[in-house]
Amino acid sequence: MANITYIESNGQSTTLQLNEGWSLMQGATANGIDGIIGECGGSCACATCHCYVDEARLGELPAPSEGELAMLENVAAERRPNSRLACQIKATAALEGLVVHLPETQE
Ligand code: FES
């Protein structure tokens, strides 16, 4: 279980308690957070779950796979050093309190 805070581009902040193993994309789409679409259902094939991870904690996450890095080339909003795909980040207790910012657009 981990509390994850999503901050949308309009500043709206929502904190969700995600079960272990849920992706940050699944949590967002199941709870009506508009800033994440998750069109491909989490198979790393759409890049509509782009998010910006709190830079101070970026190093705590497993490194992005080749597939994620390739999809990050296709994000609609600006790609930044802390850009990740939310479907590829699984909630674990170690991520307690993580903050992710959502881009203005996903497509
Ligand atoms: S949900 Fe499609 S790439 Fe993440």
Side-chain angles (χ1 to χ4, degrees), residues 33-95:
I33 292 181
D34 293 333
I36 288 186
I37 298 174
E39 204 167 87
C40 75
S43 53
C44 199
C46 71
T48 63
C49 62
H50 180 203
C51 66
Y52 302 116
V53 173
D54 175 10
E55 289 187 347
R57 301 193 61 187
L58 198 56
E60 298 174 29
L61 271 59
S65 66
E66 296 277 315
E68 181 179 350
L69 288 171
M71 287 311 296
L72 282 167
E73 302 281 338
N74 299 317
V75 292
E78 178 195 2
R79 181 180 178 183
R80 300 178 188 160
N82 59 338
S83 286
R84 294 293 305 260
L85 295 181
C87 70
Q88 301 301 301
I89 303 172
K90 305 283 190 242
T92 64
L95 293 188

